[in-house]
Amino acid sequence: MRAQLQRWWAAWLVLAIVPVGLAFSSHRAVPESAGSSWIGEGSGRVRVERVGPTLIHAGVVRATTQTTMIPEVELISGVPPTLGTLGIALPTRIIDLVPEGSTVRKGDPICRFDPSVYQEHARLQRIEVDRSRSSLAVAERDLAVAQAELVAFREGDRVQRERQLETELAMARVDLSRAEDSLNWSHRMGTLGYLASADLAEQRLARLRAEIARDNAEVALQTFLRTTVEKQLRDLEARVEHAQTYRAYAAEALRAAEARQEHLDQQVSHCTMTAPHDGTVLYADIAWRELYQVREGAEAYPHLPLFVLPDLSQLEVEIQVHERYSSQIVQGHQATVSFEALPSRSYRARVTTIDLLPTPDWYHFGEWQQFRVRLTLDEAPAGLLPEMTAQVALEIGPSRSTLTIPSDAVAWNDRGPYCVVETPSGQVPRAVRVDRGTVDRLVVLEGLEAEETVLLRPRARDRSEGLSQ
């Protein structure tokens, strides 16, 4: 009875398991059969393309023309510096700025700082410039007077005085000659008894006076020519030199005051930051976002970048290539670029520049050397912005004709890659062998023929999905 009961349970178990196994096997066989058991997100075609050795590399979008804008206003003397969040701040704040992302033309205002401190210093400096101009005018007048006195003495007073002394000397000599003649005549008259001795003594005294007068005139002329002229010339020349020195000092003080005023006027003009070229305004406060934000009322710091102005009409893609591949890349090589922010399509590009010197790859502790390569897009897509990530497929060798399929057409299971092919009898999964191709297409090594149609992102249709349809 016990053995019969066991045989009954075994038969019942076989009858229960076999239908389940048949149903499961029939369900597993559905994806491998033709029909409508597969769905996808569109379809692609197997086609022949020229594909060569390709270097796949991550890149970053850069602007060919990009300017980092920093405040050009400076800390000025006479104004105590203020302490802001990031350190010593300028004596001004942002009072107006354009919204981030605004497109500006060359010369358009981007940001304005409060110019009141610089305007007040410029006003006071203009007063100092006027005072310096007045001092220079006085110095020029004194110099003109000193030069006129020097010329007057050298060409007028000196000649007049010299001639006067020469005339006095000539008159003294004439008087002496007359006194000598008179004295000789008196001697003859006295010898004859016609002149008294007292008169003769008076004549001798008159001759002595005339001789003394002549000697004094000679001494006066010689003293004037040898000492007085030299002394007065040196005094007048010294006055001219002093006036010239004072004028030079006043002129230099005026130039310094005007330079100071020009500098302050420049600081006032620098309180308005204008676009150096066409571009799109981006705020450069990403690194300081938690401590500092570019906004109205924010402090201004010297040498702190406030804006980045890239020219979005001239964008390029930059990649860092390992030194092992740098010799295989030359200017003009073609590439295909796709962007993570714009996943719908890829874009053609070409290599424009390659750095001559490498830069250390600090991500690997400087052990690897990277060469920076820039690629120019043949057509920049709308919505592309600097610093967006890119995927670059760079052709580094001669191309050859080969079969290619969209990369979204390949799926993987336990047995490897496969594609779902559209055939006249329905959708058929087929194992394939593929290799790396371009950014959005793979090279077919085995399993497909040209012009066949394959599903994109294929997946097996669930039974519940089929019932609902």
Side-chain angles (χ1 to χ4, degrees):
M1 184 67 181
R2 183 181 182 87
Q4 184 178 3
L5 183 61
Q6 289 178 349
R7 288 194 296 272
W8 169 255
W9 277 106
W12 181 85
L13 184 61
V14 170
L15 292 176
I17 291 177
V18 168
V20 174
L22 292 175
F24 180 76
S25 63
S26 63
H27 177 71
R28 292 288 296 173
V30 170
E32 303 294 333
S33 63
S36 59
S37 59
W38 293 88
I39 59 175
E41 300 179 5
S43 61
R45 188 171 294 276
V46 182
R47 64 173 183 257
V48 178
E49 289 185 333
R50 297 192 65 84
V51 179
T54 304
L55 177 65
I56 307 296
H57 211 291
V60 178
V61 179
R62 305 287 190 195
T64 304
T65 303
Q66 176 172 302
T67 303
T68 300
M69 303 181 62
I70 62 175
E72 296 184 6
V73 290
E74 303 172 358
L75 294 168
I76 57 177
S77 60
V79 177
T82 59
L83 184 62
T85 306
L86 302 179
I88 302 300
L90 295 168
T92 182
R93 290 177 176 269
I94 299 175
I95 59 175
D96 187 23
L97 74 164
V98 299
E100 188 173 18
S102 302
T103 301
V104 294
R105 297 289 184 183
K106 181 179 180 180
D108 290 348
I110 295 178
C111 173
R112 290 186 65 246
F113 302 103
D114 183 7
S116 58
V117 174
Y118 298 96
Q119 287 175 342
E120 177 62 18
H121 277 70
R123 184 186 68 83
L124 296 176
Q125 189 60 31
R126 279 191 289 272
I127 297 175
E128 185 64 27
V129 168
D130 293 339
R131 184 182 296 112
S132 298
R133 286 200 181 103
S134 177
S135 298
L136 178 60
V138 172
E140 289 178 342
R141 183 198 62 190
D142 293 343
L143 176 61
V145 171
Q147 290 175 338
E149 290 179 350
L150 176 61
V151 172
F153 175 76
R154 183 180 293 163
E155 299 180 1
D157 295 346
R158 173 180 175 274
V159 175
Q160 180 181 2
R161 180 61 178 165
E162 183 178 354
R163 289 179 180 178
Q164 181 181 357
L165 292 175
E166 289 177 349
T167 302
E168 292 178 355
L169 176 59
M171 294 298 296
R173 287 173 177 172
V174 171
D175 291 341
L176 177 61
S177 178
R178 291 175 60 185
E180 288 178 347
D181 292 342
S182 178
L183 179 61
N184 291 333
W185 180 83
S186 298
H187 272 291
R188 290 195 300 270
M189 293 297 104
T191 303
L192 297 176
Y194 292 107
L195 187 66
S197 60
D199 293 334
L200 184 59
E202 183 66 26
Q203 291 296 326
R204 290 193 185 97
L205 183 60
R207 183 211 176 259
L208 181 60
R209 288 198 201 95
E211 187 176 2
I212 293 174
R214 185 206 59 184
D215 293 341
N216 289 339
E218 289 178 352
V219 171
L221 179 60
Q222 295 301 321
T223 302
F224 177 76
L225 293 176
R226 293 177 182 178
T227 60
T228 305
V229 171
E230 187 71 17
K231 177 180 179 299
Q232 291 191 5
L233 281 176
R234 293 293 177 264
D235 289 344
L236 292 174
E237 289 174 353
R239 289 182 58 186
V240 171
E241 291 179 359
H242 176 75
Q244 289 176 340
T245 303
Y246 183 71
R247 180 189 178 281
Y249 167 78
E252 186 63 28
L254 177 59
R255 284 193 293 269
E258 289 177 341
R260 172 69 173 170
Q261 180 184 356
E262 182 180 359
H263 178 72
L264 290 172
D265 291 338
Q266 286 180 349
Q267 300 310 307
V268 174
S269 64
H270 289 165
C271 287
T272 301
M273 300 180 68
T274 58
H277 54 78
D278 299 350
T280 301
V281 178
L282 303 177
Y283 294 171
D285 57 359
I286 298 176
W288 311 95
R289 190 59 66 93
E290 296 182 357
L291 300 175
Y292 179 81
Q293 292 183 2
V294 177
R295 55 177 177 80
E296 292 184 4
E299 305 95 345
Y301 296 90
H303 309 296
L304 177 68
L306 293 181
F307 307 100
V308 176
L309 189 64
D311 187 355
L312 300 186
S313 64
Q314 300 180 13
L315 296 177
E316 61 183 10
V317 178
E318 179 183 300
I319 60 175
Q320 297 285 343
V321 179
H322 191 275
E323 57 183 339
R324 180 170 64 249
Y325 302 104
S326 60
S327 60
Q328 305 178 34
I329 302 174
V330 297
Q331 186 175 358
H333 268 177
Q334 299 294 317
T336 305
V337 183
S338 62
F339 303 98
E340 186 175 355
L342 307 169
S344 58
R345 56 173 292 192
S346 59
Y347 303 87
R348 299 296 297 174
R350 66 184 184 280
V351 176
T352 53
T353 58
I354 306 171
D355 284 0
L356 297 177
L357 298 177
T359 55
D361 182 8
W362 298 113
Y363 183 77
H364 296 91
F365 303 99
E367 298 179 357
W368 293 357
Q369 301 295 321
Q370 303 281 351
F371 284 81
R372 182 167 54 183
V373 179
R374 296 183 179 89
L375 302 98
T376 300
L377 295 167
D378 294 343
E379 177 188 359
L384 191 64
L385 295 174
E387 305 303 324
M388 284 185 173
T389 56
Q391 187 80 0
V392 179
L394 182 60
E395 301 173 6
I396 58 175
S399 60
R400 58 185 177 84
S401 297
T402 184
L403 291 178
T404 64
I405 59 173
S407 56
D408 290 342
V410 181
W412 276 261
N413 58 16
D414 299 342
R415 293 183 293 275
Y418 68 92
C419 293
V420 178
V421 184
E422 296 277 2
T423 65
S425 58
Q427 300 167 340
V428 177
R430 189 183 301 172
V432 296
R433 287 180 56 230
V434 294
D435 195 4
R436 186 171 61 184
T438 63
V439 173
D440 55 352
R441 298 187 70 83
L442 299 175
V443 173
V444 179
L445 301 179
E446 185 180 338
L448 295 174
E449 300 293 336
E451 301 303 323
E452 286 187 321
T453 303
V454 292
L455 290 181
L456 300 180
R457 297 186 180 181
R459 66 180 185 276
R461 188 194 303 273
D462 293 337
R463 178 174 297 180
S464 58
E465 185 178 358
L467 292 176
S468 63
Q469 293 179 354

